[in-house]
Amino acid sequence: MSVFSQKICLKNRIDVAKFASNVITDQLSVDENSVLGLATGSTPEQTYRELVKKHISGQNSWSQVRTVNLDEYYGLDRNNPQSYHHYMHVHLFNHVDIPECNTLIPDGTTSDPVAEARDYEQKIVALGGIDLWLIGIGSNGHIAFNEPGSSRDSRTRLVRLSNKTISDNSRLFEKKADVPTQALTAGIATILEAKKILLIATGKNKSAAINAALNNPIGPDCPASFLRLHPNCMFVVDEAAARGCRNNFR
Ligand code: F6R
């Protein structure tokens, strides 16, 4: 097992964010041209805050970094406040020295999602692949928007969101009916091709998914379980998310 492939439980979400921001900052100091995979959602918000603090104090530079996001809601314009384009600018891109042209997020307004998905995969290959992908986990075990049922070989594509994900994410919308029902997402195979993966999870609503990811049979019932096939995947969770599988963590 590589040193990177550890399972780490920390006290709370702040400690998880500080740890994750250190891992990412280390990656940027080893290679300022890194290709970073990024996630959205509530979990990484604090990690982005920590990364911005480090940037302001001169500990990381993003001028040469290229970023690739996991996913985007289908049907949302990049200026829509609920879009992941908007999220990334608000939480990270507007506060660090990354050139806009070095960032990649699926186009949720494309009229040709099949072509968009194919181009996305080709763009990742053209970048030389992802060095480190920061990812979260859904309460149903999804990674990116690979919902239960997604296969190991899945690639970037248009998917239908599960009812569970729609109701989980409705907290961020005015009403449930406003949550998009589809998304463009990197596939499981796309994610597993990253050189390193850093999964972060906080809060008790993630504990069942973390337990399933680490202890259930590897398979589509819990898409995050496929991460166990990766030789350099680190799970960093807080105590609440580790509840029920404390033995898996040091
Ligand atoms: C977001 C993404 C999703 C989230 C997951 C958890 O880009 O790909 O898989 O990581 O839904 O979301 P939060 O962190 O809001 O609980």
Side-chain angles (χ1 to χ4, degrees):
M1 188 180 81
S2 83
V3 177
F4 194 86
S5 290
Q6 298 176 61
K7 296 175 192 66
I8 294 172
C9 177
L10 301 169
K11 189 151 188 55
N12 55 39
R13 64 180 193 89
I14 304 288
D15 292 344
V16 168
K18 286 189 171 150
F19 190 99
S21 71
N22 285 340
V23 172
I24 293 168
T25 298
D26 286 351
Q27 172 68 38
L28 302 193
S29 56
V30 169
D31 180 6
E32 61 180 10
N33 296 302
S34 290
V35 181
L36 282 186
L38 297 175
T40 58
S42 305
T43 315
E45 282 181 16
Q46 187 64 29
T47 300
Y48 294 139
R49 270 183 221 117
E50 299 293 338
L51 283 167
V52 169
K53 275 196 238 164
K54 283 182 188 295
H55 178 68
I56 291 168
S57 64
Q59 294 175 65
N60 60 44
S61 166
W62 296 71
S63 62
Q64 309 289 328
V65 174
R66 280 78 40 84
T67 64
V68 176
N69 265 78
L70 286 170
D71 40 24
E72 177 60 285
Y73 286 121
Y74 190 55
L76 294 195
D77 180 76
R78 55 185 299 125
N79 296 317
N80 186 308
Q82 308 292 353
S83 73
Y84 288 165
H85 275 81
H86 188 264
Y87 172 106
M88 286 310 303
H89 285 82
V90 167
H91 292 286
L92 184 67
F93 298 157
N94 290 351
H95 311 288
V96 296
D97 56 343
I98 191 164
E100 175 78 26
C101 59
N102 284 4
T103 68
L104 188 63
I105 305 177
D107 175 7
T109 60
T110 180
S111 57
D112 189 346
V114 172
E116 173 68 15
R118 191 186 51 232
D119 290 354
Y120 209 66
E121 291 280 337
Q122 284 170 358
K123 284 175 184 164
I124 293 173
V125 171
L127 286 169
I130 310 289
D131 292 305
L132 170 64
W133 212 324
L134 172 71
I135 67 173
I137 183 171
S139 66
N140 63 356
H142 73 216
I143 49 172
F145 277 132
N146 295 285
E147 299 284 26
S150 300
S151 83
R152 153 77 183 81
D153 300 326
S154 54
R155 291 274 167 195
T156 303
R157 66 205 185 286
L158 184 66
V159 294
R160 189 157 288 285
L161 302 182
S162 69
N163 288 336
K164 177 76 178 123
T165 297
I166 290 172
S167 74
D168 281 354
N169 290 5
S170 64
R171 72 190 189 283
L172 304 167
F173 290 77
E174 207 170 299
K175 51 186 190 306
K176 194 170 166 187
D178 294 341
V179 185
T181 55
Q182 290 176 284
L184 277 160
T185 183
I188 307 271
T190 323
I191 296 169
L192 289 178
E193 277 170 6
K195 295 186 187 80
K196 287 185 263 182
I197 300 172
L198 169 60
L199 179 139
I200 55 172
T202 59
K204 65 178 188 308
N205 67 326
K206 298 295 171 67
S207 63
I210 290 294
N211 191 11
L214 295 176
N215 298 311
N216 284 8
I218 295 174
D221 286 353
C222 177
S225 66
F226 288 117
L227 296 172
R228 281 161 39 212
L229 301 172
H230 196 283
N232 280 305
C233 177
M234 187 185 287
F235 278 67
V236 182
V237 309
D238 70 357
E239 285 177 0
R243 201 175 61 170
C245 58
R246 199 62 188 80
N247 292 344
N248 289 106
F249 292 89
R250 71 171 175 82

